[in-house]
Amino acid sequence: MSYEDIRARLVGALETVAETDETISQRVATVAAMLARADQCAAQVANDGLMIPGSAGQLVAHPLLSEERALRTHADRVWAECLPLEDGNTGTGAATDDSVSLKAKRAADARWGRHRAAGEIA
């Protein structure tokens, strides 16, 4: 299966889940906002250059470089919480003994299990 096919199936499944799951919908909106801000930072850096004059006139790395990197890293982490892993679980880490965490994990497993059973995702 090609990258485009896998991507299309995953995006379709995520859109279906986001329509019925407010938490996923909010996370998708958060990721979109963070990536939009990161793109604004990247555009400003492209306009100003990678190096800018510092307080003493020395050249320093543009401060928005680290801001862009932080936004993209955080967006990746939030996005990873929305996606199923190969082992069938969702998110980046295992649930702890915390009952809220376990309930959230069970709900996510059930949600993605329905999409796997329907053949929407592998």
Side-chain angles (χ1 to χ4, degrees), residues 19-69:
E19 290 173 1
T20 59
D21 187 320
E22 185 62 28
T23 301
I24 298 288
S25 181
Q26 288 173 353
R27 286 182 178 168
V28 169
T30 299
V31 168
M34 284 189 286
L35 292 177
R37 181 67 182 128
D39 287 344
Q40 290 173 343
C41 291
Q44 188 64 46
V45 169
N47 185 51
D48 297 345
L50 294 174
M51 303 296 284
I52 61 171
S55 61
Q58 79 284 15
L59 288 178
V60 296
H62 200 297
L64 289 179
L65 287 170
S66 61
E67 181 68 14
E68 177 192 3
R69 183 181 318 116

Side-chain angles (χ1 to χ4, degrees), residues 94-109:
T96 62
D97 289 335
D98 179 13
S99 63
V100 174
S101 223
L102 288 173
K103 288 178 185 176
K105 182 184 179 327
R106 287 186 191 119
D109 288 345

Side-chain angles (χ1 to χ4, degrees), residues 16-18 20-24 27 81-82 90 104-117 120-121:
T16 301
V17 170
T20 59
D21 187 320
E22 185 62 28
T23 301
I24 298 288
R27 286 182 178 168
E81 294 171 2
C82 300
T90 55
K105 182 184 179 327
R106 287 186 191 119
D109 288 345
R111 185 170 50 249
W112 286 107
R114 287 192 300 270
H115 290 287
R116 267 189 218 83
E120 295 172 350
I121 56 176

